[in-house]
């Protein structure tokens, strides 16, 4: 039995990866067993203002 089946509350999760050379930015979300999961790739090869903008957008998914 999947452990999530025994929990009645709301759960979401996120995997956040640093972008590497040749990697496209990933942006996936899915619903599994009533819980939302997200995968995002963060481009760290830019000024901090750009990184902060990406992080704000990502935070909006789970906020």
């Amino acid at each position: 039995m999947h452990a999530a089946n025994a929990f009645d509350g709301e759960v979401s999760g996120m995997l956040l990866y640093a972008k590497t050379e040749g990697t496209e930015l990933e942006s996936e979300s899915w619903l599994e067993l009533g819980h939302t999961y997200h995968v995002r790739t963060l481009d760290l090869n830019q000024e901090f203002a750009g990184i902060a903008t990406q992080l704000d957008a990502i935070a909006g998914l789970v906020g």
Side-chain angles (χ1 to χ4, degrees), residues 18 20 22 37:
T20 58
Y37 299 91

Side-chain angles (χ1 to χ4, degrees), residues 12-58:
S12 62
M14 179 175 292
L15 296 171
L16 184 61
Y17 295 101
K19 180 182 180 299
T20 58
E21 287 185 37
T23 302
E24 293 187 32
L25 293 178
E26 295 289 331
S27 179
E28 299 289 334
S29 296
W30 69 95
L31 187 65
E32 182 177 320
L33 298 173
H35 306 292
T36 305
Y37 299 91
H38 307 279
V39 174
R40 295 294 185 268
T41 306
L42 182 63
D43 184 1
L44 300 176
N45 190 25
Q46 59 180 318
E47 296 294 323
F48 183 75
I51 295 169
T53 298
Q54 287 183 71
L55 288 171
D56 286 342
I58 290 168

